[in-house]
Amino acid sequence: MEKRLSSGLFECRIMHARLAPRAHRFLYRIFLFAIDLDELDALPRRLRLFSLGRRNVYSFRERDYLPVDEPLHPAPTSALAASQPPTTSANADDLKSRVQAFAAHHGADLTGGRVVLVTLPRVFGYLFNPVSFYFCYTREGAPAAVIAEVTNTFREVKPYFLGAETRSSAGGEFRLRVPKHFYVSPFSDVDVEFDFTLRAPHERLALQIDDFTDGARTLTTTLTGQRRELTSARLWWFTLKYPLLTLRVIALIHWHAFLLWCKRVPSFAKAARAAEQRDLHRPHHSLSSSTQRAAGAGTAGAPGVSLPASDVV
């Protein structure tokens, strides 16, 4: 009999509630993988619909995630270089090695511990994850850290690290409020704060990310779900129950962006505040072009908002 997988699935409900300046709320259902990175090589042998590094209904590519070995935007100056995570690694193609190196840079030793990634891999070759979560454990199995990897629809990536200092006394919950400095939505400024409340998953998943502006909560997002066993039969069923899931997610993002536009929620273009979008990877060309325009003209332009290239969360 084969050993039961540590990896699993979570059948989830995602809720977004915008509180200001206009109320707007919606929810939808989704399922996510919870992948023990030590089991990556074993999963394709156990799951007919899942492949590692090649096309399938669900395909996982390690280079899709956590590109902390790639250049950082803006490029650190010599005075700041020492405070930035390393951009090279002997095991750069190995995702767990990148997670461990990133955690080590923030003072967390994950040697011998598990890393469980809660995410949605490529579905029929298409990838989009507004946020993926890396739950990191010590060698003894205690929760050590969480990395929240936020991706916008421009495919820019910014990881936020929640270490031991953010962990509750109970040990399973991590809480951090931090300046965003990232363009996630045309309806949320880049200088608001993210407030993360992330609980290490067991039989249930319970995660929350809020936006705060000038000390007031303006947006709340919750992700809750029940753990399911990761089997080929379950994947077949979820593929029928949640067809073309990543395309549905991106379609919902743009539909609700349109509804917010109809409600006359104030918005701004990504290029309008390029200088305040920092510590991110895979920068969109608008950042460099806006910086060049600002250097030449002394001010950044603010072209009209393009909803199809924006996120709503």
Side-chain angles (χ1 to χ4, degrees):
M1 180 180 294
E2 291 184 301
K3 179 182 177 182
R4 183 180 180 183
L5 290 171
S6 171
S7 302
L9 299 170
F10 282 100
E11 192 169 16
C12 302
R13 188 179 77 164
I14 298 178
M15 187 277 294
H16 298 284
R18 184 172 293 274
L19 309 176
R22 304 280 191 277
H24 184 77
R25 183 180 184 275
F26 68 96
L27 61 87
Y28 59 93
R29 297 189 179 276
I30 192 175
F31 80 92
L32 297 172
F33 286 70
I35 298 175
D36 185 330
L37 295 185
D38 290 333
E39 295 181 341
L40 273 178
D41 291 334
L43 292 180
R45 298 194 296 268
R46 302 277 291 269
L47 307 168
R48 298 186 64 180
L49 299 184
F50 183 94
S51 293
L52 181 62
R54 62 182 182 85
R55 294 182 69 88
N56 202 333
V57 176
Y58 303 97
S59 55
F60 189 93
R61 300 180 186 178
E62 294 185 74
R63 289 305 321 181
D64 286 338
Y65 293 91
L66 202 64
V68 292
D69 58 324
E70 298 179 15
L72 193 67
H73 176 86
T77 64
S78 57
L80 295 176
S83 67
Q84 301 296 337
T87 57
T88 59
S89 169
N91 300 307
D93 288 334
D94 179 73
L95 177 56
K96 187 174 181 180
S97 294
R98 293 199 300 277
V99 173
Q100 290 176 325
F102 188 70
H105 176 80
H106 289 86
D109 183 5
L110 303 183
T111 304
R114 295 190 306 131
V115 176
V116 176
L117 170 58
V118 176
T119 190
L120 187 64
R122 291 175 178 262
V123 181
F124 293 102
Y126 183 77
L127 176 72
F128 182 68
N129 278 299
V131 58
S132 296
F133 301 94
Y134 303 79
F135 290 93
C136 308
Y137 299 85
T138 65
R139 185 191 302 271
E140 293 74 27
V146 186
I147 302 169
E149 179 183 19
V150 182
T151 302
N152 61 22
T153 52
F154 293 91
R155 309 294 176 172
E156 296 172 327
V157 177
K158 183 167 181 175
Y160 297 84
F161 186 82
L162 290 76
E165 71 282 358
T166 71
R167 190 175 62 230
S168 68
S169 57
E173 180 178 289
F174 294 79
R175 181 77 181 269
L176 175 68
R177 187 182 296 188
V178 62
K180 185 166 62 171
H181 294 314
F182 190 46
Y183 186 91
V184 180
S185 166
F187 305 101
S188 297
D189 217 338
V190 298
D191 61 352
V192 306
E193 293 180 309
F194 271 150
D195 188 74
F196 294 96
T197 303
L198 310 177
R199 298 172 181 84
H202 296 289
E203 291 305 308
R204 287 195 58 79
L205 185 68
L207 312 174
Q208 182 169 334
I209 305 175
D210 295 338
D211 279 15
F212 278 80
T213 304
D214 297 327
R217 187 170 62 174
T218 55
L219 176 69
T220 184
T221 301
T222 62
L223 172 61
T224 57
Q226 186 71 38
R227 183 181 178 89
R228 309 296 185 193
E229 189 174 357
L230 179 52
T231 65
S232 285
R234 180 74 64 177
L235 272 185
W236 276 108
W237 168 235
F238 278 1
T239 302
L240 296 174
K241 189 175 182 180
Y242 303 99
L244 300 175
L245 190 51
T246 48
L247 291 175
R248 180 171 179 263
V249 170
I250 199 73
L252 284 169
I253 283 172
H254 291 101
W255 171 246
H256 286 280
F258 173 71
L259 294 179
L260 290 172
W261 178 79
C262 291
K263 290 183 176 183
R264 301 181 183 274
V265 175
S267 61
F268 70 97
K270 177 174 172 57
R273 305 190 66 174
E276 296 181 50
Q277 300 169 53
R278 52 183 183 264
D279 299 332
L280 59 96
H281 299 275
R282 300 175 179 172
H284 187 258
H285 65 79
S286 64
L287 293 183
S288 57
S289 61
S290 296
T291 302
Q292 292 169 358
R293 286 197 301 271
T299 181
V305 174
S306 174
L307 290 180
S310 305
D311 202 340
V312 301
V313 296

PDB file of all heavy atoms in Angstrom, residues 210-240:
ATOM      1  N   ASP A 210      -6.363  42.108   4.667  1.00  0.00           N
ATOM      2  CA  ASP A 210      -7.113  43.359   4.652  1.00  0.00           C
ATOM      3  C   ASP A 210      -6.253  44.488   4.109  1.00  0.00           C
ATOM      4  O   ASP A 210      -5.019  44.445   4.202  1.00  0.00           O
ATOM      5  CB  ASP A 210      -7.579  43.724   6.064  1.00  0.00           C
ATOM      6  CG  ASP A 210      -8.570  42.725   6.636  1.00  0.00           C
ATOM      7  OD1 ASP A 210      -9.204  42.011   5.833  1.00  0.00           O
ATOM      8  OD2 ASP A 210      -8.693  42.658   7.868  1.00  0.00           O
ATOM      9  N   ASP A 211      -6.910  45.489   3.554  1.00  0.00           N
ATOM     10  CA  ASP A 211      -6.252  46.739   3.181  1.00  0.00           C
ATOM     11  C   ASP A 211      -6.619  47.804   4.208  1.00  0.00           C
ATOM     12  O   ASP A 211      -7.791  47.937   4.590  1.00  0.00           O
ATOM     13  CB  ASP A 211      -6.726  47.222   1.804  1.00  0.00           C
ATOM     14  CG  ASP A 211      -6.010  46.517   0.665  1.00  0.00           C
ATOM     15  OD1 ASP A 211      -5.376  45.483   0.917  1.00  0.00           O
ATOM     16  OD2 ASP A 211      -6.106  47.001  -0.477  1.00  0.00           O
ATOM     17  N   PHE A 212      -5.622  48.579   4.643  1.00  0.00           N
ATOM     18  CA  PHE A 212      -5.847  49.698   5.552  1.00  0.00           C
ATOM     19  C   PHE A 212      -5.323  50.979   4.912  1.00  0.00           C
ATOM     20  O   PHE A 212      -4.198  51.010   4.399  1.00  0.00           O
ATOM     21  CB  PHE A 212      -5.143  49.466   6.890  1.00  0.00           C
ATOM     22  CG  PHE A 212      -5.905  48.583   7.834  1.00  0.00           C
ATOM     23  CD1 PHE A 212      -5.873  47.198   7.694  1.00  0.00           C
ATOM     24  CD2 PHE A 212      -6.670  49.130   8.850  1.00  0.00           C
ATOM     25  CE1 PHE A 212      -6.568  46.380   8.561  1.00  0.00           C
ATOM     26  CE2 PHE A 212      -7.380  48.315   9.726  1.00  0.00           C
ATOM     27  CZ  PHE A 212      -7.335  46.944   9.581  1.00  0.00           C
ATOM     28  N   THR A 213      -6.141  52.022   4.948  1.00  0.00           N
ATOM     29  CA  THR A 213      -5.760  53.336   4.447  1.00  0.00           C
ATOM     30  C   THR A 213      -5.935  54.341   5.573  1.00  0.00           C
ATOM     31  O   THR A 213      -7.045  54.511   6.104  1.00  0.00           O
ATOM     32  CB  THR A 213      -6.642  53.744   3.249  1.00  0.00           C
ATOM     33  OG1 THR A 213      -6.556  52.734   2.234  1.00  0.00           O
ATOM     34  CG2 THR A 213      -6.190  55.078   2.671  1.00  0.00           C
ATOM     35  N   ASP A 214      -4.818  54.981   5.953  1.00  0.00           N
ATOM     36  CA  ASP A 214      -4.853  55.956   7.058  1.00  0.00           C
ATOM     37  C   ASP A 214      -5.488  55.361   8.313  1.00  0.00           C
ATOM     38  O   ASP A 214      -6.288  56.001   9.002  1.00  0.00           O
ATOM     39  CB  ASP A 214      -5.602  57.222   6.638  1.00  0.00           C
ATOM     40  CG  ASP A 214      -4.920  57.953   5.490  1.00  0.00           C
ATOM     41  OD1 ASP A 214      -3.675  57.906   5.427  1.00  0.00           O
ATOM     42  OD2 ASP A 214      -5.628  58.550   4.667  1.00  0.00           O
ATOM     43  N   GLY A 215      -5.163  54.107   8.581  1.00  0.00           N
ATOM     44  CA  GLY A 215      -5.632  53.450   9.790  1.00  0.00           C
ATOM     45  C   GLY A 215      -7.016  52.849   9.718  1.00  0.00           C
ATOM     46  O   GLY A 215      -7.456  52.216  10.682  1.00  0.00           O
ATOM     47  N   ALA A 216      -7.723  53.024   8.598  1.00  0.00           N
ATOM     48  CA  ALA A 216      -9.083  52.490   8.458  1.00  0.00           C
ATOM     49  C   ALA A 216      -9.091  51.334   7.460  1.00  0.00           C
ATOM     50  O   ALA A 216      -8.467  51.417   6.390  1.00  0.00           O
ATOM     51  CB  ALA A 216     -10.036  53.588   7.995  1.00  0.00           C
ATOM     52  N   ARG A 217      -9.797  50.281   7.800  1.00  0.00           N
ATOM     53  CA  ARG A 217      -9.893  49.139   6.889  1.00  0.00           C
ATOM     54  C   ARG A 217     -10.802  49.486   5.719  1.00  0.00           C
ATOM     55  O   ARG A 217     -11.947  49.901   5.902  1.00  0.00           O
ATOM     56  CB  ARG A 217     -10.422  47.915   7.630  1.00  0.00           C
ATOM     57  CG  ARG A 217     -10.397  46.645   6.786  1.00  0.00           C
ATOM     58  CD  ARG A 217     -10.697  45.415   7.587  1.00  0.00           C
ATOM     59  NE  ARG A 217     -12.032  45.447   8.172  1.00  0.00           N
ATOM     60  CZ  ARG A 217     -12.587  44.430   8.822  1.00  0.00           C
ATOM     61  NH1 ARG A 217     -11.890  43.315   9.006  1.00  0.00           N
ATOM     62  NH2 ARG A 217     -13.798  44.525   9.314  1.00  0.00           N
ATOM     63  N   THR A 218     -10.306  49.300   4.514  1.00  0.00           N
ATOM     64  CA  THR A 218     -11.070  49.644   3.319  1.00  0.00           C
ATOM     65  C   THR A 218     -11.435  48.426   2.477  1.00  0.00           C
ATOM     66  O   THR A 218     -12.318  48.514   1.619  1.00  0.00           O
ATOM     67  CB  THR A 218     -10.279  50.631   2.443  1.00  0.00           C
ATOM     68  OG1 THR A 218      -8.984  50.073   2.151  1.00  0.00           O
ATOM     69  CG2 THR A 218     -10.094  51.964   3.160  1.00  0.00           C
ATOM     70  N   LEU A 219     -10.757  47.298   2.693  1.00  0.00           N
ATOM     71  CA  LEU A 219     -11.018  46.091   1.911  1.00  0.00           C
ATOM     72  C   LEU A 219     -10.648  44.890   2.755  1.00  0.00           C
ATOM     73  O   LEU A 219      -9.620  44.890   3.445  1.00  0.00           O
ATOM     74  CB  LEU A 219     -10.192  46.108   0.625  1.00  0.00           C
ATOM     75  CG  LEU A 219     -10.257  44.869  -0.283  1.00  0.00           C
ATOM     76  CD1 LEU A 219     -11.628  44.747  -0.915  1.00  0.00           C
ATOM     77  CD2 LEU A 219      -9.185  44.942  -1.372  1.00  0.00           C
ATOM     78  N   THR A 220     -11.479  43.859   2.711  1.00  0.00           N
ATOM     79  CA  THR A 220     -11.152  42.618   3.395  1.00  0.00           C
ATOM     80  C   THR A 220     -11.348  41.445   2.441  1.00  0.00           C
ATOM     81  O   THR A 220     -12.313  41.410   1.663  1.00  0.00           O
ATOM     82  CB  THR A 220     -12.010  42.432   4.670  1.00  0.00           C
ATOM     83  OG1 THR A 220     -11.593  41.247   5.353  1.00  0.00           O
ATOM     84  CG2 THR A 220     -13.498  42.329   4.346  1.00  0.00           C
ATOM     85  N   THR A 221     -10.421  40.515   2.490  1.00  0.00           N
ATOM     86  CA  THR A 221     -10.472  39.316   1.664  1.00  0.00           C
ATOM     87  C   THR A 221     -10.240  38.111   2.565  1.00  0.00           C
ATOM     88  O   THR A 221      -9.270  38.081   3.319  1.00  0.00           O
ATOM     89  CB  THR A 221      -9.397  39.349   0.565  1.00  0.00           C
ATOM     90  OG1 THR A 221      -9.586  40.478  -0.265  1.00  0.00           O
ATOM     91  CG2 THR A 221      -9.467  38.084  -0.291  1.00  0.00           C
ATOM     92  N   THR A 222     -11.131  37.141   2.507  1.00  0.00           N
ATOM     93  CA  THR A 222     -10.968  35.922   3.294  1.00  0.00           C
ATOM     94  C   THR A 222     -10.942  34.711   2.364  1.00  0.00           C
ATOM     95  O   THR A 222     -11.612  34.676   1.333  1.00  0.00           O
ATOM     96  CB  THR A 222     -12.095  35.751   4.322  1.00  0.00           C
ATOM     97  OG1 THR A 222     -13.357  35.643   3.640  1.00  0.00           O
ATOM     98  CG2 THR A 222     -12.138  36.925   5.284  1.00  0.00           C
ATOM     99  N   LEU A 223     -10.160  33.733   2.755  1.00  0.00           N
ATOM    100  CA  LEU A 223     -10.049  32.471   2.031  1.00  0.00           C
ATOM    101  C   LEU A 223     -10.201  31.354   3.059  1.00  0.00           C
ATOM    102  O   LEU A 223      -9.359  31.197   3.948  1.00  0.00           O
ATOM    103  CB  LEU A 223      -8.697  32.381   1.325  1.00  0.00           C
ATOM    104  CG  LEU A 223      -8.316  31.056   0.667  1.00  0.00           C
ATOM    105  CD1 LEU A 223      -9.304  30.675  -0.423  1.00  0.00           C
ATOM    106  CD2 LEU A 223      -6.904  31.128   0.088  1.00  0.00           C
ATOM    107  N   THR A 224     -11.299  30.623   2.976  1.00  0.00           N
ATOM    108  CA  THR A 224     -11.566  29.549   3.921  1.00  0.00           C
ATOM    109  C   THR A 224     -11.872  28.272   3.153  1.00  0.00           C
ATOM    110  O   THR A 224     -12.468  28.307   2.072  1.00  0.00           O
ATOM    111  CB  THR A 224     -12.752  29.899   4.838  1.00  0.00           C
ATOM    112  OG1 THR A 224     -13.910  30.174   4.030  1.00  0.00           O
ATOM    113  CG2 THR A 224     -12.439  31.111   5.697  1.00  0.00           C
ATOM    114  N   GLY A 225     -11.476  27.145   3.727  1.00  0.00           N
ATOM    115  CA  GLY A 225     -11.724  25.903   3.016  1.00  0.00           C
ATOM    116  C   GLY A 225     -11.520  24.673   3.864  1.00  0.00           C
ATOM    117  O   GLY A 225     -10.942  24.722   4.951  1.00  0.00           O
ATOM    118  N   GLN A 226     -11.990  23.547   3.329  1.00  0.00           N
ATOM    119  CA  GLN A 226     -11.913  22.249   3.979  1.00  0.00           C
ATOM    120  C   GLN A 226     -10.926  21.370   3.225  1.00  0.00           C
ATOM    121  O   GLN A 226     -10.940  21.327   1.992  1.00  0.00           O
ATOM    122  CB  GLN A 226     -13.286  21.585   3.996  1.00  0.00           C
ATOM    123  CG  GLN A 226     -13.356  20.285   4.766  1.00  0.00           C
ATOM    124  CD  GLN A 226     -13.238  20.500   6.262  1.00  0.00           C
ATOM    125  OE1 GLN A 226     -13.768  21.462   6.801  1.00  0.00           O
ATOM    126  NE2 GLN A 226     -12.531  19.594   6.950  1.00  0.00           N
ATOM    127  N   ARG A 227     -10.081  20.672   3.956  1.00  0.00           N
ATOM    128  CA  ARG A 227      -9.083  19.814   3.341  1.00  0.00           C
ATOM    129  C   ARG A 227      -9.738  18.577   2.724  1.00  0.00           C
ATOM    130  O   ARG A 227     -10.651  17.976   3.307  1.00  0.00           O
ATOM    131  CB  ARG A 227      -8.031  19.386   4.362  1.00  0.00           C
ATOM    132  CG  ARG A 227      -6.900  18.538   3.768  1.00  0.00           C
ATOM    133  CD  ARG A 227      -5.907  18.125   4.837  1.00  0.00           C
ATOM    134  NE  ARG A 227      -4.869  17.277   4.291  1.00  0.00           N
ATOM    135  CZ  ARG A 227      -3.733  17.714   3.770  1.00  0.00           C
ATOM    136  NH1 ARG A 227      -3.498  19.019   3.752  1.00  0.00           N
ATOM    137  NH2 ARG A 227      -2.838  16.879   3.278  1.00  0.00           N
ATOM    138  N   ARG A 228      -9.257  18.215   1.519  1.00  0.00           N
ATOM    139  CA  ARG A 228      -9.659  16.986   0.849  1.00  0.00           C
ATOM    140  C   ARG A 228      -8.407  16.189   0.489  1.00  0.00           C
ATOM    141  O   ARG A 228      -7.352  16.775   0.232  1.00  0.00           O
ATOM    142  CB  ARG A 228     -10.449  17.283  -0.425  1.00  0.00           C
ATOM    143  CG  ARG A 228     -11.604  18.256  -0.260  1.00  0.00           C
ATOM    144  CD  ARG A 228     -12.686  17.706   0.648  1.00  0.00           C
ATOM    145  NE  ARG A 228     -13.836  18.611   0.696  1.00  0.00           N
ATOM    146  CZ  ARG A 228     -14.816  18.516   1.582  1.00  0.00           C
ATOM    147  NH1 ARG A 228     -14.803  17.558   2.489  1.00  0.00           N
ATOM    148  NH2 ARG A 228     -15.825  19.383   1.560  1.00  0.00           N
ATOM    149  N   GLU A 229      -8.558  14.879   0.425  1.00  0.00           N
ATOM    150  CA  GLU A 229      -7.421  14.047   0.044  1.00  0.00           C
ATOM    151  C   GLU A 229      -7.084  14.274  -1.421  1.00  0.00           C
ATOM    152  O   GLU A 229      -7.977  14.413  -2.271  1.00  0.00           O
ATOM    153  CB  GLU A 229      -7.735  12.576   0.297  1.00  0.00           C
ATOM    154  CG  GLU A 229      -6.527  11.669   0.139  1.00  0.00           C
ATOM    155  CD  GLU A 229      -6.823  10.234   0.532  1.00  0.00           C
ATOM    156  OE1 GLU A 229      -7.960   9.965   0.991  1.00  0.00           O
ATOM    157  OE2 GLU A 229      -5.927   9.388   0.382  1.00  0.00           O
ATOM    158  N   LEU A 230      -5.803  14.326  -1.729  1.00  0.00           N
ATOM    159  CA  LEU A 230      -5.333  14.531  -3.099  1.00  0.00           C
ATOM    160  C   LEU A 230      -5.198  13.177  -3.789  1.00  0.00           C
ATOM    161  O   LEU A 230      -4.255  12.417  -3.556  1.00  0.00           O
ATOM    162  CB  LEU A 230      -3.995  15.266  -3.089  1.00  0.00           C
ATOM    163  CG  LEU A 230      -3.330  15.539  -4.440  1.00  0.00           C
ATOM    164  CD1 LEU A 230      -4.277  16.219  -5.404  1.00  0.00           C
ATOM    165  CD2 LEU A 230      -2.066  16.365  -4.251  1.00  0.00           C
ATOM    166  N   THR A 231      -6.175  12.876  -4.652  1.00  0.00           N
ATOM    167  CA  THR A 231      -6.194  11.627  -5.412  1.00  0.00           C
ATOM    168  C   THR A 231      -6.563  11.934  -6.854  1.00  0.00           C
ATOM    169  O   THR A 231      -7.113  13.000  -7.162  1.00  0.00           O
ATOM    170  CB  THR A 231      -7.215  10.641  -4.840  1.00  0.00           C
ATOM    171  OG1 THR A 231      -8.536  11.195  -5.003  1.00  0.00           O
ATOM    172  CG2 THR A 231      -6.954  10.362  -3.358  1.00  0.00           C
ATOM    173  N   SER A 232      -6.296  10.994  -7.741  1.00  0.00           N
ATOM    174  CA  SER A 232      -6.690  11.170  -9.137  1.00  0.00           C
ATOM    175  C   SER A 232      -8.198  11.309  -9.276  1.00  0.00           C
ATOM    176  O   SER A 232      -8.694  12.136 -10.047  1.00  0.00           O
ATOM    177  CB  SER A 232      -6.192   9.988  -9.981  1.00  0.00           C
ATOM    178  OG  SER A 232      -4.807  10.082 -10.219  1.00  0.00           O
ATOM    179  N   ALA A 233      -8.960  10.524  -8.519  1.00  0.00           N
ATOM    180  CA  ALA A 233     -10.416  10.590  -8.595  1.00  0.00           C
ATOM    181  C   ALA A 233     -10.922  11.963  -8.160  1.00  0.00           C
ATOM    182  O   ALA A 233     -11.822  12.541  -8.784  1.00  0.00           O
ATOM    183  CB  ALA A 233     -11.036   9.491  -7.734  1.00  0.00           C
ATOM    184  N   ARG A 234     -10.338  12.501  -7.094  1.00  0.00           N
ATOM    185  CA  ARG A 234     -10.760  13.819  -6.616  1.00  0.00           C
ATOM    186  C   ARG A 234     -10.423  14.894  -7.643  1.00  0.00           C
ATOM    187  O   ARG A 234     -11.208  15.818  -7.879  1.00  0.00           O
ATOM    188  CB  ARG A 234     -10.070  14.119  -5.284  1.00  0.00           C
ATOM    189  CG  ARG A 234     -10.437  15.476  -4.693  1.00  0.00           C
ATOM    190  CD  ARG A 234     -11.825  15.501  -4.110  1.00  0.00           C
ATOM    191  NE  ARG A 234     -11.940  14.596  -2.974  1.00  0.00           N
ATOM    192  CZ  ARG A 234     -13.031  14.465  -2.241  1.00  0.00           C
ATOM    193  NH1 ARG A 234     -14.101  15.184  -2.529  1.00  0.00           N
ATOM    194  NH2 ARG A 234     -13.085  13.603  -1.231  1.00  0.00           N
ATOM    195  N   LEU A 235      -9.255  14.783  -8.271  1.00  0.00           N
ATOM    196  CA  LEU A 235      -8.884  15.772  -9.288  1.00  0.00           C
ATOM    197  C   LEU A 235      -9.819  15.709 -10.496  1.00  0.00           C
ATOM    198  O   LEU A 235     -10.188  16.748 -11.061  1.00  0.00           O
ATOM    199  CB  LEU A 235      -7.439  15.557  -9.733  1.00  0.00           C
ATOM    200  CG  LEU A 235      -6.350  16.257  -8.929  1.00  0.00           C
ATOM    201  CD1 LEU A 235      -4.990  16.047  -9.583  1.00  0.00           C
ATOM    202  CD2 LEU A 235      -6.632  17.748  -8.790  1.00  0.00           C
ATOM    203  N   TRP A 236     -10.189  14.507 -10.905  1.00  0.00           N
ATOM    204  CA  TRP A 236     -11.163  14.375 -11.994  1.00  0.00           C
ATOM    205  C   TRP A 236     -12.473  15.089 -11.620  1.00  0.00           C
ATOM    206  O   TRP A 236     -13.046  15.819 -12.436  1.00  0.00           O
ATOM    207  CB  TRP A 236     -11.446  12.906 -12.288  1.00  0.00           C
ATOM    208  CG  TRP A 236     -10.466  12.244 -13.198  1.00  0.00           C
ATOM    209  CD1 TRP A 236      -9.523  11.307 -12.867  1.00  0.00           C
ATOM    210  CD2 TRP A 236     -10.330  12.454 -14.611  1.00  0.00           C
ATOM    211  NE1 TRP A 236      -8.799  10.934 -13.968  1.00  0.00           N
ATOM    212  CE2 TRP A 236      -9.289  11.606 -15.059  1.00  0.00           C
ATOM    213  CE3 TRP A 236     -10.994  13.260 -15.540  1.00  0.00           C
ATOM    214  CZ2 TRP A 236      -8.879  11.561 -16.392  1.00  0.00           C
ATOM    215  CZ3 TRP A 236     -10.594  13.209 -16.880  1.00  0.00           C
ATOM    216  CH2 TRP A 236      -9.558  12.376 -17.282  1.00  0.00           C
ATOM    217  N   TRP A 237     -12.948  14.868 -10.398  1.00  0.00           N
ATOM    218  CA  TRP A 237     -14.206  15.453  -9.974  1.00  0.00           C
ATOM    219  C   TRP A 237     -14.104  16.977  -9.908  1.00  0.00           C
ATOM    220  O   TRP A 237     -14.986  17.686 -10.385  1.00  0.00           O
ATOM    221  CB  TRP A 237     -14.623  14.883  -8.633  1.00  0.00           C
ATOM    222  CG  TRP A 237     -15.745  15.622  -7.962  1.00  0.00           C
ATOM    223  CD1 TRP A 237     -15.746  16.152  -6.718  1.00  0.00           C
ATOM    224  CD2 TRP A 237     -17.041  15.898  -8.505  1.00  0.00           C
ATOM    225  NE1 TRP A 237     -16.935  16.766  -6.444  1.00  0.00           N
ATOM    226  CE2 TRP A 237     -17.757  16.629  -7.526  1.00  0.00           C
ATOM    227  CE3 TRP A 237     -17.665  15.626  -9.715  1.00  0.00           C
ATOM    228  CZ2 TRP A 237     -19.059  17.071  -7.717  1.00  0.00           C
ATOM    229  CZ3 TRP A 237     -18.970  16.076  -9.921  1.00  0.00           C
ATOM    230  CH2 TRP A 237     -19.650  16.783  -8.931  1.00  0.00           C
ATOM    231  N   PHE A 238     -13.026  17.490  -9.334  1.00  0.00           N
ATOM    232  CA  PHE A 238     -12.863  18.940  -9.229  1.00  0.00           C
ATOM    233  C   PHE A 238     -12.680  19.589 -10.602  1.00  0.00           C
ATOM    234  O   PHE A 238     -13.076  20.737 -10.805  1.00  0.00           O
ATOM    235  CB  PHE A 238     -11.680  19.273  -8.328  1.00  0.00           C
ATOM    236  CG  PHE A 238     -12.009  19.231  -6.853  1.00  0.00           C
ATOM    237  CD1 PHE A 238     -13.282  18.898  -6.405  1.00  0.00           C
ATOM    238  CD2 PHE A 238     -11.053  19.526  -5.904  1.00  0.00           C
ATOM    239  CE1 PHE A 238     -13.595  18.857  -5.061  1.00  0.00           C
ATOM    240  CE2 PHE A 238     -11.353  19.508  -4.557  1.00  0.00           C
ATOM    241  CZ  PHE A 238     -12.623  19.159  -4.123  1.00  0.00           C
ATOM    242  N   THR A 239     -12.094  18.870 -11.550  1.00  0.00           N
ATOM    243  CA  THR A 239     -11.952  19.409 -12.902  1.00  0.00           C
ATOM    244  C   THR A 239     -13.316  19.611 -13.552  1.00  0.00           C
ATOM    245  O   THR A 239     -13.531  20.584 -14.291  1.00  0.00           O
ATOM    246  CB  THR A 239     -11.088  18.463 -13.761  1.00  0.00           C
ATOM    247  OG1 THR A 239      -9.811  18.298 -13.131  1.00  0.00           O
ATOM    248  CG2 THR A 239     -10.883  19.021 -15.161  1.00  0.00           C
ATOM    249  N   LEU A 240     -14.241  18.700 -13.273  1.00  0.00           N
ATOM    250  CA  LEU A 240     -15.611  18.848 -13.775  1.00  0.00           C
ATOM    251  C   LEU A 240     -16.387  19.899 -12.988  1.00  0.00           C
ATOM    252  O   LEU A 240     -17.163  20.674 -13.555  1.00  0.00           O
ATOM    253  CB  LEU A 240     -16.333  17.499 -13.706  1.00  0.00           C
ATOM    254  CG  LEU A 240     -15.767  16.390 -14.587  1.00  0.00           C
ATOM    255  CD1 LEU A 240     -16.493  15.079 -14.304  1.00  0.00           C
ATOM    256  CD2 LEU A 240     -15.888  16.748 -16.063  1.00  0.00           C
TER     257      LEU A 240
END
